[in-house]
Amino acid sequence: GAGVSQTPSNKVTEKGKYVELRCDPISGHTALYWYRQSLGQGPEFLIYFQGTGAADDSGLPNDRFFAVRPEGSVSTLKIQRTERGDSAVYLCASSFGGHGNTGELFFGEGSRLTVL
Amino acid sequence: LAKTTQPISMDSYEGQEVNITCSHNNIATNDYITWYQQFPSQGPRFIIQGYKTKVTNEVASLFIPADRKSSTLSLPRVSLSDTAVYYCLVGPMDSSYKLIFGSGTRLLVRP
Protein backbone atom coordinates (compact mmCIF):
# COMPACT_ATOMS: atom_id res chain seq x y z
CA GLY A 1 0.00 0.00 0.00
CA ALA A 2 0.99 3.63 -0.42
CA GLY A 3 0.29 4.73 3.14
CA VAL A 4 1.95 4.29 6.53
CA SER A 5 1.40 0.75 7.74
CA GLN A 6 1.33 -0.21 11.42
CA THR A 7 1.21 -3.65 12.94
CA PRO A 8 -0.40 -5.05 14.94
CA SER A 9 -3.60 -3.02 14.77
CA ASN A 10 -4.55 -4.35 18.20
CA LYS A 11 -2.42 -5.80 20.95
CA VAL A 12 -3.62 -7.05 24.31
CA THR A 13 -0.95 -7.95 26.83
CA GLU A 14 -0.51 -8.49 30.52
CA LYS A 15 1.16 -6.15 32.93
CA GLY A 16 4.91 -6.69 32.98
CA LYS A 17 5.18 -8.14 29.48
CA TYR A 18 7.34 -6.86 26.61
CA VAL A 19 5.69 -5.41 23.50
CA GLU A 20 6.92 -4.43 20.04
CA LEU A 21 4.97 -2.23 17.66
CA ARG A 22 6.03 -1.91 14.04
CA CYS A 23 5.77 0.96 11.60
CA ASP A 24 6.39 0.82 7.87
CA PRO A 25 6.57 4.39 6.54
CA ILE A 26 5.81 5.71 3.09
CA SER A 27 8.63 4.84 0.72
CA GLY A 28 11.09 7.69 0.35
CA HIS A 29 10.14 9.44 3.57
CA THR A 30 13.24 10.11 5.64
CA ALA A 31 11.48 11.38 8.75
CA LEU A 32 9.50 9.07 11.04
CA TYR A 33 7.57 9.94 14.17
CA TRP A 34 5.93 8.03 17.00
CA TYR A 35 3.01 9.47 18.92
CA ARG A 36 0.82 8.10 21.69
CA GLN A 37 -2.85 8.97 22.00
CA SER A 38 -4.99 8.32 25.05
CA LEU A 39 -8.77 8.37 24.91
CA GLY A 40 -10.13 11.90 24.46
CA GLN A 41 -6.69 13.46 24.12
CA GLY A 42 -4.62 14.69 21.22
CA PRO A 43 -1.60 12.71 20.05
CA GLU A 44 1.42 13.07 22.34
CA PHE A 45 4.85 13.23 20.71
CA LEU A 46 7.25 10.43 21.67
CA ILE A 47 10.21 10.31 19.30
CA TYR A 48 11.35 11.55 15.90
CA PHE A 49 13.82 9.88 13.53
CA GLN A 50 15.67 11.52 10.69
CA GLY A 51 17.07 8.59 8.75
CA THR A 52 18.44 5.97 11.14
CA GLY A 53 19.10 8.25 14.07
CA ALA A 54 16.75 9.46 16.76
CA ALA A 55 16.87 13.22 16.26
CA ASP A 56 14.55 13.94 19.17
CA ASP A 57 13.49 11.42 21.82
CA SER A 58 12.37 13.99 24.35
CA GLY A 59 8.83 12.63 24.43
CA LEU A 60 9.66 9.11 25.58
CA PRO A 61 8.08 8.90 29.05
CA ASN A 62 10.76 6.74 30.69
CA ASP A 63 13.48 4.18 29.97
CA ARG A 64 10.95 1.38 29.46
CA PHE A 65 10.27 2.91 26.04
CA PHE A 66 12.75 2.54 23.21
CA ALA A 67 12.52 2.86 19.44
CA VAL A 68 14.82 1.86 16.61
CA ARG A 69 15.01 2.43 12.90
CA PRO A 70 18.13 0.46 11.90
CA GLU A 71 17.95 0.85 8.12
CA GLY A 72 16.21 4.19 7.90
CA SER A 73 12.88 2.72 6.88
CA VAL A 74 10.88 0.42 9.17
CA SER A 75 10.78 1.40 12.82
CA THR A 76 9.95 -0.60 15.94
CA LEU A 77 8.70 0.89 19.19
CA LYS A 78 9.61 -1.33 22.12
CA ILE A 79 7.98 -1.19 25.53
CA GLN A 80 9.44 -3.18 28.39
CA ARG A 81 7.64 -4.21 31.59
CA THR A 82 4.35 -2.81 30.37
CA GLU A 83 2.06 -1.05 32.83
CA ARG A 84 -1.68 -0.44 32.66
CA GLY A 85 -0.98 3.25 32.08
CA ASP A 86 0.75 2.37 28.81
CA SER A 87 -2.64 1.49 27.31
CA ALA A 88 -3.21 3.84 24.39
CA VAL A 89 -3.17 4.05 20.61
CA TYR A 90 0.37 4.33 19.31
CA LEU A 91 0.51 6.31 16.08
CA CYS A 92 3.32 6.37 13.58
CA ALA A 93 3.78 9.08 10.97
CA SER A 94 6.28 9.80 8.24
CA SER A 95 7.24 12.79 6.15
CA PHE A 96 9.80 13.86 3.58
CA GLY A 97 11.84 15.56 6.28
CA GLY A 98 14.99 17.58 5.70
CA HIS A 99 14.97 20.28 3.07
CA GLY A 100 11.97 18.73 1.36
CA ASN A 101 9.88 19.07 4.47
CA THR A 102 6.49 20.62 3.81
CA GLY A 103 5.34 20.13 7.37
CA GLU A 104 2.78 17.51 6.35
CA LEU A 105 2.90 14.31 8.32
CA PHE A 106 1.24 11.16 7.03
CA PHE A 107 -0.16 9.05 9.84
CA GLY A 108 -0.93 5.37 10.02
CA GLU A 109 -4.09 4.05 11.63
CA GLY A 110 -2.30 3.23 14.84
CA SER A 111 -1.70 0.23 17.06
CA ARG A 112 -4.11 -0.01 19.96
CA LEU A 113 -2.30 -1.38 23.02
CA THR A 114 -4.26 -2.67 25.99
CA VAL A 115 -2.38 -3.69 29.10
CA LEU A 116 -4.43 -5.82 31.46
CA LEU B 1 6.82 25.94 20.37
CA ALA B 2 3.82 28.22 20.46
CA LYS B 3 0.84 27.09 22.51
CA THR B 4 -2.57 26.99 20.84
CA THR B 5 -6.04 27.43 22.28
CA GLN B 6 -9.19 26.28 20.49
CA PRO B 7 -12.76 25.50 21.53
CA ILE B 8 -13.28 22.07 23.02
CA SER B 9 -16.37 21.34 20.93
CA MET B 10 -18.70 22.80 18.31
CA ASP B 11 -22.06 21.75 16.89
CA SER B 12 -23.35 22.45 13.42
CA TYR B 13 -25.91 21.26 10.90
CA GLU B 14 -25.46 19.85 7.45
CA GLY B 15 -24.99 22.49 4.78
CA GLN B 16 -23.76 25.17 7.15
CA GLU B 17 -20.37 26.86 7.09
CA VAL B 18 -18.25 26.10 10.15
CA ASN B 19 -15.51 28.37 11.41
CA ILE B 20 -13.10 27.12 14.06
CA THR B 21 -10.81 29.74 15.54
CA CYS B 22 -7.47 28.99 17.13
CA SER B 23 -5.46 31.39 19.29
CA HIS B 24 -1.66 31.33 19.20
CA ASN B 25 -0.51 34.54 20.84
CA ASN B 26 3.13 33.49 21.08
CA ILE B 27 3.59 32.49 17.45
CA ALA B 28 7.16 32.98 16.23
CA THR B 29 8.27 34.63 13.02
CA ASN B 30 9.20 31.33 11.37
CA ASP B 31 6.15 29.40 12.57
CA TYR B 32 3.52 28.04 10.20
CA ILE B 33 -0.07 27.22 11.11
CA THR B 34 -1.31 23.75 10.26
CA TRP B 35 -4.67 22.07 10.73
CA TYR B 36 -5.30 18.34 10.99
CA GLN B 37 -8.52 16.35 11.03
CA GLN B 38 -8.98 13.07 12.88
CA PHE B 39 -11.80 10.56 12.57
CA PRO B 40 -12.36 7.85 15.20
CA SER B 41 -9.94 4.92 14.92
CA GLN B 42 -7.79 6.74 12.36
CA GLY B 43 -4.63 8.79 12.47
CA PRO B 44 -4.79 12.56 11.96
CA ARG B 45 -4.96 13.81 8.39
CA PHE B 46 -3.47 17.04 7.09
CA ILE B 47 -6.10 19.56 5.97
CA ILE B 48 -4.40 22.87 5.29
CA GLN B 49 -1.39 24.98 6.16
CA GLY B 50 -0.59 28.66 5.94
CA TYR B 51 1.73 31.44 7.02
CA LYS B 52 -0.30 34.60 6.50
CA THR B 53 -3.43 36.01 4.84
CA LYS B 54 -5.64 33.37 3.26
CA VAL B 55 -5.09 29.87 1.95
CA THR B 56 -7.75 27.83 0.19
CA ASN B 57 -7.80 24.27 -1.05
CA GLU B 58 -10.49 21.83 -2.10
CA VAL B 59 -11.34 21.00 1.49
CA ALA B 60 -11.13 24.21 3.51
CA SER B 61 -9.95 27.78 3.81
CA LEU B 62 -7.55 29.16 6.38
CA PHE B 63 -7.73 32.81 7.38
CA ILE B 64 -4.77 34.38 9.17
CA PRO B 65 -4.89 38.04 10.25
CA ALA B 66 -1.91 40.32 9.89
CA ASP B 67 -0.73 39.89 13.50
CA ARG B 68 -0.90 36.06 13.10
CA LYS B 69 -1.98 35.65 16.72
CA SER B 70 -4.99 33.64 15.66
CA SER B 71 -6.27 31.69 12.69
CA THR B 72 -9.64 30.45 11.51
CA LEU B 73 -10.34 27.20 9.73
CA SER B 74 -13.41 27.52 7.55
CA LEU B 75 -15.29 24.44 6.34
CA PRO B 76 -17.89 25.32 3.70
CA ARG B 77 -21.23 23.48 3.66
CA VAL B 78 -20.35 20.72 6.11
CA SER B 79 -21.77 17.24 5.84
CA LEU B 80 -22.21 14.46 8.41
CA SER B 81 -18.85 13.05 7.33
CA ASP B 82 -17.10 16.19 8.56
CA THR B 83 -17.82 15.11 12.14
CA ALA B 84 -14.31 14.76 13.54
CA VAL B 85 -11.73 16.32 15.82
CA TYR B 86 -9.84 19.27 14.35
CA TYR B 87 -6.39 20.19 15.60
CA CYS B 88 -4.62 23.52 15.19
CA LEU B 89 -0.83 23.33 15.36
CA VAL B 90 1.89 25.95 15.17
CA GLY B 91 5.55 25.34 14.53
CA PRO B 92 8.52 25.90 12.24
CA MET B 93 9.06 23.91 9.08
CA ASP B 94 12.67 22.90 9.40
CA SER B 95 14.50 19.63 9.49
CA SER B 96 13.63 19.04 13.13
CA TYR B 97 9.97 19.76 12.68
CA LYS B 98 7.69 17.92 15.05
CA LEU B 99 4.03 18.49 15.67
CA ILE B 100 2.70 19.23 19.13
CA PHE B 101 -1.01 18.51 19.33
CA GLY B 102 -3.43 20.02 21.81
CA SER B 103 -6.81 18.50 22.65
CA GLY B 104 -8.45 19.76 19.46
CA THR B 105 -12.01 20.81 18.68
CA ARG B 106 -14.67 18.13 18.45
CA LEU B 107 -17.03 19.08 15.65
CA LEU B 108 -20.41 17.37 15.56
CA VAL B 109 -22.46 17.84 12.40
CA ARG B 110 -26.14 17.06 12.83
CA PRO B 111 -28.62 16.19 10.07
Side-chain angles (χ1 to χ4, degrees), chain A residues 33 35 37 48 56 102 105, chain B residues 36 38 93 95 97-99:
Chain A
Y33 308 76
Y35 285 80
Q37 187 170 28
Y48 154 66
D56 185 341
T102 64
L105 267 59
Chain B
Y36 278 74
Q38 186 176 27
M93 280 204 307
S95 60
Y97 187 70
K98 69 184 183 188
L99 296 178

Side-chain angles (χ1 to χ4, degrees), chain B:
Chain B
L1 293 171
K3 178 178 169 59
T4 61
T5 303
Q6 52 184 123
I8 293 173
S9 64
M10 294 181 69
D11 280 17
S12 184
Y13 291 92
E14 279 192 295
Q16 290 189 331
E17 177 184 79
V18 171
N19 296 306
I20 306 175
T21 296
C22 177
S23 297
H24 27 80
N25 291 316
N26 296 321
I27 190 168
T29 303
N30 60 340
D31 283 345
Y32 283 73
I33 300 155
T34 311
W35 286 79
Y36 278 74
Q37 174 191 56
Q38 186 176 27
F39 298 114
S41 301
Q42 294 187 24
R45 183 176 71 103
F46 174 93
I47 301 177
I48 197 166
Q49 182 179 76
Y51 183 81
K52 62 181 179 180
T53 63
K54 177 183 174 182
V55 179
T56 297
N57 61 23
E58 65 277 6
V59 176
S61 293
L62 178 59
F63 298 92
I64 306 168
D67 66 5
R68 305 201 326 123
K69 293 184 182 299
S70 67
S71 59
T72 299
L73 175 72
S74 182
L75 305 172
R77 298 179 298 281
V78 294
S79 64
L80 297 178
S81 63
D82 292 317
T83 292
V85 179
Y86 293 82
Y87 296 98
C88 164
L89 302 101
V90 171
M93 280 204 307
D94 59 24
S95 60
S96 64
Y97 187 70
K98 69 184 183 188
L99 296 178
I100 303 298
F101 288 81
S103 298
T105 297
R106 295 182 177 277
L107 173 65
L108 174 62
V109 180
R110 302 177 186 274

Side-chain angles (χ1 to χ4, degrees), chain A residues 50-113:
Chain A
Q50 183 61 254
T52 61
D56 185 341
D57 64 357
S58 61
L60 294 178
N62 51 58
D63 61 7
R64 295 187 298 106
F65 289 75
F66 189 72
V68 295
R69 194 186 185 198
E71 298 179 357
S73 178
V74 171
S75 176
T76 305
L77 179 65
K78 308 181 180 192
I79 310 174
Q80 299 178 324
R81 305 183 302 281
T82 52
E83 300 177 356
R84 292 193 180 87
D86 298 335
S87 297
V89 175
Y90 289 82
L91 294 163
C92 177
S94 69
S95 74
F96 285 106
H99 294 295
N101 190 5
T102 64
E104 180 176 356
L105 267 59
F106 296 82
F107 283 84
E109 295 195 344
S111 293
R112 180 178 298 278
L113 174 65

